[in-house]
Amino acid sequence: MLPLIDQILKDSGCADLPAVRQAVEEACFNQTSFVDAVLDCEGVRERDFLSALAKTLSLPWWEPKEEEQPAEQGLRRLLPAEIALRHRLLPIFTEETKSDDGTEAGRTLHIATFDPLSLVAHQRVAASLTMPVVWHVGLRTRIVEGLQKLYGLGADTFEKILRGRADWGAEDLRDEVTVLDEPEDEEASVVRFVNQIIRRGLEQRATDIHVEPQQNHLRIRYRIDGRLEELPVPENIKSLQASVIARLKIMARLDIAEKRLPQDGRINLELDGMAIDVRVATIPSVEGESVSLRLLAQQQVTVNRLGLTDNIRPVVDELLKLPNGIVLITGPTGSGKSTTLYAFLTELNQTHRRIVTIEDPVEYKMPGIVQIAVKPEIGLTFSTGLRSILRGDPNVVMIGEMRDLETTEIAVRAALTGHLVFSTLHTNDAIGGITRLIDMGVEPFLVSSAVRAFFAQRLVRKLCPSCKAPAEVEADYLKSIGFPSHLKGQIMRGVGCEACRGSGFQGRLSIYEVCLVTHALQHLINSRAHPAEFLKQAVKDGYIPMRGYGFQKVLSGETTIEEVLSVTAATDRNHTPQSSTVPLIPARLAA
């Protein structure tokens, strides 16, 4: 091993790690970067190793400060993206140099790297630049983040595309693959650029990707944990707008010539051996077609993964054992209703049950279940499809949404004739599901006889497990929002770290409220009582409002008070969140 490398390993405390020495020997033999080899080894502290490297080479240490302004955009014109991204070299600033007589002699470019021993990188920079360069050493993670912000995603690919062709025609794009992790040609293409966008979204746990043409720019945004975040992209990307959108439409098997009407399609992707289903929707706008992608990982969702509290889980178990009746999940679009329904079906999916669904569209493909996608253009609607389903001897039926009276009445008849029916309804809370069905035209006696329970749910951001810490909250504030004083637990907050990109949150969880249709509530429904009476009776039966359920999740350290309050404002109904310890009891369910 070279003496220089051996000294660096000793100074950083890595010399005693057998895996490190083996990785370095292999890198030296294969003539690859020993810095990358060491950083990839388990047990190596990145900061200790790179600071030792900088000290040995007498190079200045670079690390961005919290208050530091973003790098000037002119820097990316000095160092080509292809060189910067391939060798992970981040231009950080320029400074004026002066001659001996005090006059300005030119500019010097300062570049941060985590591998200052890369001879190829030094040669490429020297061949590309005519100005002097001062090298700095920094953390690999910080340099990669800085490159993303300065150049934008796929900037090296973008430069090659513009050098190769001003625009790509549809025929040039048609035969490319959609396997995201398949090795790509050195020859850059629009295909690679689009794949980078989707792959980056999957790595960031995005649920949606929006490609939105602006007047002088093509904006790309990810929805991560329910919040939209803009993706840094190369400048002048507007010139490739038509090609990027054409590629997405071809992947979704849409008509690329039709730009005046909205279109819907699907893309089947593969990343690291995992199947990803993508729903694609295009919308014509004055600046061009806007494309939205909904990313759906084909992974099994179970009731255990819903994170139900101890007082809700027994209720769900009893409902899933029912031979007939309707269970409705309510909430706005994007509140996780479909995920909950699929979790219920996964629990019921056994060989002795025949389960049939009708959806618009089919979001998750489930083996062992017959799934039907509605096609209104050929007359296959929820109501017509449901009639056919009931002639097919099902035990369990799932209807994607109760949109109209006809579908709802068929579902009610199915429940009354011995079928267990699951569906969704757009209401603010569980109690509102009763009045919504009656307002749609369903007779109250049918609602009380067929429906077994109304669920309502919302999604809140989940605290990052790597950086959450205890929070101090004033007692007066807790009292003002009706926070339950009798429950025990620790209120936490998100500090922010690299794992959560500084947000303090990572992932989302559902919060619920469940209104069981008990005998007492049946009587009130039949007599067309006021909704306030429904609520009063439900509370007597053990109903806990969604805000109260959310506060339980706060005390278990899973989310924050602010998150719960932000999503339950419409469900509060001006009543104080329940602090009652009365659990929901399945036996109260009406027969």
Side-chain angles (χ1 to χ4, degrees), residues 403-410 437 440-443:
R403 297 178 178 176
D404 53 66
L405 177 59
E406 185 180 10
T407 302
T408 306
E409 287 180 335
I410 298 172
L437 290 178
M440 288 175 65
V442 183
E443 290 294 333

Side-chain angles (χ1 to χ4, degrees), residues 201-202 205-211 220-229 278-279 291-296 334 508:
L202 293 169
R205 299 177 294 100
T207 56
D208 300 86
I209 302 175
H210 300 287
V211 181
I220 299 175
R221 294 192 290 176
Y222 294 150
R223 187 175 294 279
I224 303 173
D225 297 337
R227 306 292 178 93
L228 283 173
E229 299 181 9
V278 184
R279 284 165 45 190
V291 183
S292 296
L293 292 80
R294 169 67 59 88
L295 307 178
L296 302 167
R508 291 190 290 177

Side-chain angles (χ1 to χ4, degrees), residues 24 68 89 170 236 273 275 320 351 379 384 465 480 520 522 549 553 566:
V24 171
E68 191 172 78
L89 309 175
N236 300 324
L320 296 181
T351 55
T384 56
S480 69
Q522 278 184 327
Y549 184 100
K553 290 294 185 180
S566 67

Side-chain angles (χ1 to χ4, degrees), residues 144-161:
V144 171
E145 289 174 1
L147 288 169
Q148 172 82 34
K149 293 177 181 177
L150 181 61
Y151 288 95
L153 181 69
D156 53 341
T157 301
F158 185 80
E159 281 190 355
K160 292 181 182 180
I161 294 171

Side-chain angles (χ1 to χ4, degrees), residues 526-543:
N526 290 335
S527 61
R528 295 180 181 269
H530 191 274
E533 295 296 321
F534 298 156
L535 175 61
K536 185 177 179 180
Q537 182 59 51
V539 171
K540 290 180 181 178
D541 294 335
Y543 164 85

Side-chain angles (χ1 to χ4, degrees), residues 118-424:
S118 174
L119 180 60
V120 176
H122 283 265
Q123 291 174 338
R124 293 294 301 277
V125 170
S128 174
L129 301 181
T130 57
M131 65 176 65
V133 172
V134 174
W135 294 90
H136 299 246
V137 177
L139 296 176
R140 180 168 66 172
T141 51
R142 298 298 188 193
I143 290 173
V144 171
E145 289 174 1
L147 288 169
Q148 172 82 34
K149 293 177 181 177
L150 181 61
Y151 288 95
L153 181 69
D156 53 341
T157 301
F158 185 80
E159 281 190 355
K160 292 181 182 180
I161 294 171
L162 293 183
R163 286 202 305 268
R165 302 187 184 189
D167 200 0
W168 284 63
E171 293 303 320
D172 298 313
L173 307 174
R174 188 174 299 279
D175 296 329
E176 301 284 357
V177 298
T178 58
V179 179
L180 296 184
D181 53 358
E182 182 170 305
E184 301 174 37
D185 293 335
E186 289 294 320
E187 184 69 23
S189 67
V190 173
V191 175
R192 181 182 175 192
F193 181 66
V194 170
N195 285 355
Q196 286 176 314
I197 294 172
I198 299 175
R199 185 188 295 112
R200 178 70 173 172
L202 293 169
E203 292 171 351
Q204 294 285 325
R205 299 177 294 100
T207 56
D208 300 86
I209 302 175
H210 300 287
V211 181
E212 304 164 318
Q214 307 293 307
Q215 184 174 3
N216 300 309
H217 184 58
L218 181 64
R219 183 169 68 174
I220 299 175
R221 294 192 290 176
Y222 294 150
R223 187 175 294 279
I224 303 173
D225 297 337
R227 306 292 178 93
L228 283 173
E229 299 181 9
E230 187 164 355
L231 174 71
V233 293
E235 60 182 355
N236 300 324
I237 193 176
K238 184 74 174 178
S239 61
L240 278 180
Q241 173 179 306
S243 296
V244 170
I245 293 174
R247 172 59 187 165
L248 288 170
K249 292 173 71 174
I250 288 169
M251 292 171 70
R253 294 178 173 82
L254 301 178
D255 183 0
I256 62 173
E258 180 55 74
K259 302 179 180 179
R260 301 166 301 169
L261 298 173
Q263 297 186 68
D264 295 309
R266 302 181 83 93
I267 303 174
N268 295 316
L269 301 177
E270 182 181 324
L271 178 64
D272 297 330
M274 181 176 65
I276 308 292
D277 193 25
V278 184
R279 284 165 45 190
V280 182
T282 67
I283 304 173
S285 71
V286 293
E287 299 296 342
E289 288 182 283
S290 174
V291 183
S292 296
L293 292 80
R294 169 67 59 88
L295 307 178
L296 302 167
Q298 295 298 312
Q299 56 185 357
Q300 191 178 45
V301 183
T302 63
V303 173
N304 290 333
R305 294 183 61 186
L306 295 180
L308 299 172
T309 57
D310 293 340
N311 59 335
I312 296 292
R313 181 58 191 265
V315 178
V316 171
D317 291 339
E318 283 298 316
L319 289 171
L320 296 181
K321 293 177 183 177
L322 292 174
N324 56 62
I326 298 176
V327 176
L328 286 171
I329 314 293
T330 72
T333 300
S335 60
K337 300 188 300 296
S338 296
T339 300
T340 300
L341 283 178
Y342 282 117
F344 290 172
L345 294 183
T346 300
E347 196 79 8
L348 293 169
N349 189 12
Q350 299 177 14
T351 55
H352 65 274
R353 288 194 186 95
R354 175 172 165 82
I355 303 176
V356 185
T357 74
I358 181 163
E359 309 167 57
D360 182 23
V362 174
E363 294 189 3
Y364 296 95
K365 297 176 182 177
M366 305 181 69
I369 294 178
V370 179
Q371 295 176 273
I372 303 170
V374 299
K375 297 179 180 178
E377 63 274 12
I378 62 172
L380 179 56
T381 62
F382 277 115
S383 56
T384 56
L386 189 53
R387 286 193 183 92
S388 300
I389 289 173
L390 296 180
R391 293 193 291 267
D393 187 34
N395 299 106
V396 179
V397 177
M398 193 270 272
I399 307 168
E401 182 184 347
M402 288 189 177
R403 297 178 178 176
D404 53 66
L405 177 59
E406 185 180 10
T407 302
T408 306
E409 287 180 335
I410 298 172
V412 168
R413 288 201 298 270
L416 295 176
T417 55
H419 302 88
L420 183 57
V421 180
F422 295 91
S423 188
T424 66

Side-chain angles (χ1 to χ4, degrees), residues 446-518:
L446 291 177
V447 175
S448 63
S449 301
V451 182
R452 297 290 179 261
F454 293 90
F455 280 73
Q457 72 176 86
R458 297 291 189 279
L459 293 176
V460 295
R461 291 186 295 172
K462 192 174 182 180
L463 282 169
C464 175
S466 301
C467 66
K468 65 180 180 180
E472 295 183 3
V473 186
E474 294 182 359
D476 291 342
Y477 173 69
L478 295 178
K479 185 177 180 180
S480 69
I481 62 175
F483 199 86
S485 58
H486 69 283
L487 296 178
K488 304 300 180 183
Q490 176 66 61
I491 299 175
M492 308 291 284
R493 64 184 179 91
V495 177
C497 64
E498 292 182 6
C500 60
R501 306 180 315 283
S503 67
F505 297 93
Q506 192 174 53
R508 291 190 290 177
L509 60 89
S510 298
I511 60 174
Y512 298 91
E513 63 183 17
V514 184
C515 174
L516 297 178
V517 181
T518 61

